[in-house]
Amino acid sequence: MSKIILTGDRPTGRLHVGHYVGSLRRRVELQNSGEFDKIFIMIADAQALTDNAENPEKVRQNIIEVALDYLSCGLDPEKSTLLIQSQIPELTELTFYYMNLVTVSRLQRNPTVKSEIQMRNFEASIPVGFFTYPISQAADITAFKATTVPVGEDQLPMLEQTKEIVRKFNSVYGDTLVEPDILLPDNKACLRLPGTDGKAKMSKSLNNCIYLSDPEEEVRKKVMSMFTDPNHLQVSDPGQVEGNPVFIYLDAFCKDDMFAEYLPEYSCLQELKDHYTRGGLGDVKVKKFLNNVLQEQLSPIRTSRKEWEQRIPDIYEILHKGSMEAEEVAARTLDDVKKSMKINYFDDHALIAEQADRYKAE
Ligand code: ATP
Ligand code: MG
């Protein structure tokens, strides 16, 4: 069986370092591994509109921002197909058929959707489109017959929902759809990177992000004002490493060979953590180190982005081409789906002949 990747992001803002460690960095590695037959990277504008219906301009403007982030991180249009969700109407059609296979109470149990509803104050009036976006995500994944979906931890319930839809579809209509596997980051710190404010998740909607496109000075300022252990008041105080976002970011970004250049008194992250836990190590020193670690990784991305920013029409061309290629694949899946559901009347010569015969006999 072919190995196929589908993943993507909502164009609700520029991408941040949480996206990078949670999904983007892995995608680029997978792309360059040569192990996959096909890679689809989707800018999920239709999904973004489910909670931004009154603000289509925000979605429209952020498509290019997400595409710029993709390209500057090393997603290569020669190796990966970059597409825009709304340009593939087959996805909407698949969603409509899958809706019949999912109950309202099943959707209500989705913990990610539950917390997103709370975050957006949607409790009293949830848009139907938003409520059902896990079904549309199942359509996205299955349309491309994806076998592997590299995403952050918050996507686990979506993948579970997708698998259920696939099983249900295949059992009712016959083997048609492919069950995907989720690929989570190996590194625990990357599963759900916290915000600079210490909140559980760095998120475009929470204003607690370090963006991949932030200028050097902006990154430095954000790092220097990051939330740390609130009880670590004096340098001499023992500090807490667990749950401390500065150390979580180091877990996600720091490689031991970076110490030689930026903090040669230590040889590895564990030594730094031990010192902090014992007391005698100030937050400022750790933050300066984190800043250097981040800058080393963000600087090439920033440089590449500057170059791509001068090629906006080319990027739209890439997205257009990718969307057309993706549509062909999705159309083939939709054909299979309709055939399995037996709603392919005009191609169903057996049906027409059988009915013609039946009436002739009467
Ligand atoms: P929004 O607030 O609009 O939902 P978001 O920041 O949650 O935006 P998405 O576009 O919903 O971003 O998520 C894109 C991908 O990035 C998903 O695979 C998600 O799991 C991953 N991701 C998002 N935020 C983080 C994070 N803080 N840590 C790890 N992965 C993340
Ligand atoms: Mg999200």
Side-chain angles (χ1 to χ4, degrees):
M1 193 169 69
S2 306
K3 289 176 78 179
I4 300 171
I5 288 180
L6 178 280
T7 182
D9 304 271
R10 295 152 39 95
T12 48
R14 293 174 290 149
L15 299 185
H16 51 64
V17 296
H19 297 119
Y20 186 66
V21 296
S23 171
L24 209 41
R25 179 164 71 182
R26 187 67 164 287
R27 281 181 215 173
V28 176
E29 283 166 17
L30 295 171
Q31 168 195 271
N32 296 335
S33 74
E35 277 178 32
F36 289 84
D37 299 292
K38 217 53 214 130
I39 300 177
F40 296 96
I41 312 284
M42 187 179 78
I43 302 181
D45 62 334
Q47 189 186 119
L49 285 166
T50 64
D51 58 332
N52 289 282
E54 275 138 60
N55 204 354
E57 188 59 18
K58 170 173 155 191
V59 174
R60 192 167 89 105
Q61 292 298 338
N62 277 306
I63 287 177
I64 196 71
E65 297 299 332
V66 171
L68 280 165
D69 288 328
Y70 282 172
L71 294 161
S72 49
C73 282
L75 285 177
D76 175 353
E78 298 289 319
K79 298 180 185 159
S80 298
T81 305
L82 307 184
L83 62 126
I84 303 180
Q85 186 185 27
S86 64
Q87 303 307 297
I88 292 125
E90 286 80 358
L91 300 176
T92 321
E93 210 173 322
L94 284 172
T95 305
F96 194 70
Y97 296 130
Y98 295 172
M99 280 182 170
N100 303 329
L101 306 175
V102 181
T103 63
V104 171
S105 65
R106 175 64 186 89
L107 286 174
Q108 278 166 335
R109 282 204 306 274
N110 184 315
T112 300
V113 176
K114 256 193 206 164
S115 73
E116 286 174 339
I117 286 172
Q118 249 175 9
M119 224 168 80
R120 288 164 177 75
N121 293 321
F122 272 168
E123 279 100 338
S125 56
I126 311 168
V128 174
F130 183 80
F131 183 60
T132 56
Y133 90 74
I135 305 178
S136 117
Q137 225 165 295
D140 303 334
I141 295 168
T142 54
F144 300 106
K145 302 210 149 80
T147 51
T148 309
V149 184
V151 284
E153 194 186 30
D154 61 326
Q155 296 300 310
L156 257 171
M158 311 306 161
L159 261 287
E160 215 27 70
Q161 178 75 79
T162 302
K163 283 168 183 257
E164 282 174 31
I165 290 174
V166 169
R167 284 183 214 131
K168 180 92 192 220
F169 189 100
N170 288 348
S171 81
V172 175
Y173 302 114
D175 244 359
T176 314
L177 303 174
V178 176
E179 216 177 294
D181 283 322
I182 190 168
L183 189 63
L184 293 172
D186 307 324
N187 181 337
K188 210 170 128 261
C190 302
L191 283 174
R192 185 174 303 220
L193 200 75
T196 49
D197 56 358
K199 287 221 176 83
K201 186 179 170 234
M202 180 177 287
S203 169
K204 284 174 274 187
S205 319
L206 294 177
N207 206 11
N208 58 5
C209 304
I210 296 177
Y211 291 100
L212 291 170
S213 49
D214 276 342
E216 188 174 344
E217 183 49 23
E218 183 81 17
V219 173
R220 198 190 63 82
K221 272 198 216 144
K222 286 181 178 174
V223 170
M224 296 316 287
S225 57
M226 261 177 82
F227 179 91
T228 62
D229 171 6
N231 300 317
H232 187 243
L233 299 173
Q234 313 265 356
V235 173
S236 55
D237 289 342
Q240 177 134 2
V241 168
E242 288 83 48
N244 182 333
V246 173
F247 281 95
I248 298 176
Y249 285 22
L250 283 173
D251 277 328
F253 286 96
C254 171
K255 298 186 201 93
D256 284 343
D257 62 10
M258 291 172 170
F259 279 95
E261 183 163 358
Y262 302 117
L263 206 57
E265 305 117 270
Y266 303 88
S267 64
C268 66
L269 188 53
Q270 193 53 52
E271 267 183 26
L272 190 76
K273 285 182 179 174
D274 290 345
H275 193 180
Y276 192 81
T277 312
R278 268 199 319 274
L281 174 59
D283 283 322
V284 171
K285 191 164 175 176
V286 186
K287 285 179 172 176
K288 279 189 177 154
F289 175 59
L290 173 61
N291 178 52
N292 284 325
V293 165
L294 282 176
Q295 302 288 1
E296 180 175 315
Q297 286 168 75
L298 295 181
S299 148
I301 298 174
R302 223 178 264 136
T303 309
S304 171
R305 200 183 209 272
K306 287 271 165 301
E307 289 166 16
W308 280 108
E309 282 170 355
Q310 302 312 307
R311 299 181 54 190
I312 301 294
D314 292 345
I315 300 179
Y316 276 101
E317 201 41 56
I318 290 169
L319 294 171
H320 190 182
K321 204 169 139 248
S323 301
M324 287 197 311
E325 195 190 316
E327 186 176 8
E328 279 177 31
V329 178
R332 280 200 294 276
T333 305
L334 181 63
D335 274 348
D336 294 346
V337 160
K338 290 171 94 167
K339 205 165 154 200
S340 297
M341 294 174 71
K342 299 195 187 302
I343 52 174
N344 59 333
Y345 316 111
F346 306 133
D347 297 330
D348 194 344
H349 302 298
L351 170 81
I352 299 168
E354 182 265 316
Q355 292 181 342
D357 262 6
R358 195 189 327 147
Y359 281 99
K360 226 185 268 164
E362 274 173 13

